[in-house]
Amino acid sequence: MRFLTYGLMAAFAIAPMAAQAQDAAAGQRVFNQCRACHTINEGGRNGVGPNLHGVVGRAAGSIEGFRYSANMREWAPGKTWDEALLTQYLTNPKSVLPRGSMSFVGLRNPQQVQDVIAYLKAN
């Protein structure tokens, strides 16, 4: 009985971690809603938003030739798009850039946020 109890406790402890695993394929499906404004192909064009190829680890506001909003230009110096900042931004862009020009309201599902980040990391 003790082994069963410990086994169940271990299973319940591991379950939340499994739910947080990143899935790039699922992230690609979620990213499809971003394609209206962003491309992700290497060397891809900028759209309404900048090309996002290699965004994870990139300095914010650093795509040559893209016309960033004044709010982004003020905010960006010294900022890098790491997983923590991307998580905050993808969840609620206005919490990061209150006067930003991106019309996207954010992803409410934390798993989708993690999956999109996995997709961005893969590209």
Side-chain angles (χ1 to χ4, degrees):
M1 185 68 171
R2 181 180 296 172
F3 293 112
L4 178 61
T5 302
Y6 290 134
L8 287 173
M9 288 171 46
F12 286 120
I14 293 170
M17 290 186 280
Q20 291 300 315
Q22 295 180 327
D23 182 349
Q28 181 178 11
R29 289 187 295 276
V30 176
F31 185 81
N32 283 334
Q33 64 188 299
C34 309
R35 290 187 188 279
C37 298
H38 296 279
T39 61
I40 195 162
N41 300 334
E42 184 174 8
R45 65 168 179 74
N46 293 316
V48 173
N51 177 287
L52 297 178
H53 182 80
V55 69
V56 180
R58 182 170 72 202
S62 64
I63 295 291
E64 284 293 320
F66 184 76
R67 189 171 169 221
Y68 290 97
S69 68
N71 189 216
M72 176 62 88
R73 290 191 308 268
E74 292 168 10
W75 173 84
K79 305 284 191 317
T80 300
W81 290 115
D82 60 15
E83 286 191 49
L85 186 55
L86 282 167
T87 298
Q88 184 180 0
Y89 192 74
L90 291 171
T91 301
N92 183 358
K94 296 296 183 190
S95 73
V96 176
L97 287 169
R99 294 174 289 128
S101 60
M102 190 165 82
S103 61
F104 178 65
V105 297
L107 295 170
R108 300 296 175 238
N109 182 324
Q111 185 64 54
Q112 288 182 333
V113 171
Q114 293 306 305
D115 292 345
V116 168
I117 291 171
Y119 177 67
L120 293 172
K121 285 171 34 180
N123 288 280

